[in-house]
Amino acid sequence: MPPFPRTSHLGGGHTRPDETVIEDVIREANAMQRLLAPPGRLTWLTACLRRFIAATADDVEAAATARPVGDPVRLEALVVVREARYRLRLGPGDGYVSAIACVRSLGRAAEALRHEQRRLRRDLVPVAGSSGPGVIVLGPSETCLTCLELVELRHQLEVQKNWCGVRDANARLARHRTAAHHPVPLAI
């Protein structure tokens, strides 16, 4: 008979995917300035965040190094990985306040890694600028031939490492998107 009668739940393990569990852990760690947890909970949060950062940093680094050398997305992802590994090496000092600061620090590092992991998994081509807010992206369903030609031109210039040409292609695409598709361009 299960420990919880008439529930078909045997009481073991998670019933949610690991991704939603880690998002809850990150959310709880980042909320430590408003909600304080008991010391046992802090220990558990720290352990979860450390495991996540150790595993995810390797994945993000591998995905980032597979991108072209001058790619701004690659550079930002590698900076986030370096910062997360640095925070992973730090430990809590003496006392409860230090343990909370450590959990919040790990939570911010895990959140940044999670963001970079999602960004590297997307099947979108960043265009018109380097990266971050305001970058025009074109998904696989784009039908405008001019947009597609400018994206292809940008890719060719990027392979040639012609960064001045890439900037010019970015600017041309931004002007075209604003003129031809007058709503605000799609952004990351």
Side-chain angles (χ1 to χ4, degrees):
M1 183 163 152
F4 306 104
R6 292 186 274 286
T7 63
S8 298
H9 182 61
L10 299 175
H14 297 115
T15 57
R16 298 184 301 165
D18 287 341
E19 287 188 11
T20 60
V21 172
I22 196 61
E23 287 176 6
D24 289 345
V25 169
I26 291 170
R27 193 174 304 112
E28 185 176 350
N30 289 338
M32 281 292 157
Q33 58 195 358
R34 296 181 308 274
L35 304 170
L36 301 179
R41 184 73 175 167
L42 287 177
T43 304
W44 182 81
L45 287 171
T46 303
C48 285
L49 290 169
R50 285 183 182 281
R51 277 193 309 272
F52 174 76
I53 290 171
T56 308
D58 293 337
D59 294 342
V60 170
E61 184 176 38
T65 54
R67 295 178 75 95
V69 173
D71 186 4
V73 175
R74 172 193 168 126
L75 297 175
E76 289 176 26
L78 292 176
V79 167
V80 167
V81 166
R82 193 171 348 150
E83 176 70 20
R85 286 186 174 145
Y86 170 75
R87 291 184 186 195
L88 192 59
R89 287 191 306 266
L90 299 177
D94 294 333
Y96 182 69
V97 174
S98 178
I100 289 175
C102 179
V103 168
R104 284 196 327 224
S105 174
L106 289 172
R108 286 191 299 271
E111 185 176 34
L113 273 175
R114 188 83 174 116
H115 172 74
E116 291 301 325
Q117 185 181 40
R118 287 179 177 154
R119 191 168 151 190
L120 290 167
R121 282 184 185 169
R122 283 190 208 139
D123 190 25
L124 300 175
V125 180
V127 193
S130 56
S131 62
V135 174
I136 298 174
V137 294
L138 303 178
S141 63
E142 180 66 47
T143 58
C144 177
L145 293 177
T146 305
C147 290
L148 293 173
E149 288 171 3
L150 288 170
V151 168
E152 182 60 31
L153 173 66
R154 180 186 190 277
H155 176 69
Q156 290 170 0
L157 293 169
E158 200 171 338
V159 168
Q160 297 169 359
K161 297 184 180 178
N162 180 351
W163 304 118
C164 292
V166 169
R167 268 195 309 258
D168 180 52
N170 290 341
R172 287 175 49 199
L173 180 61
R175 284 192 303 270
H176 167 74
R177 297 284 295 178
T178 304
H181 309 288
H182 32 108
V184 178
L186 301 173
I188 288 179

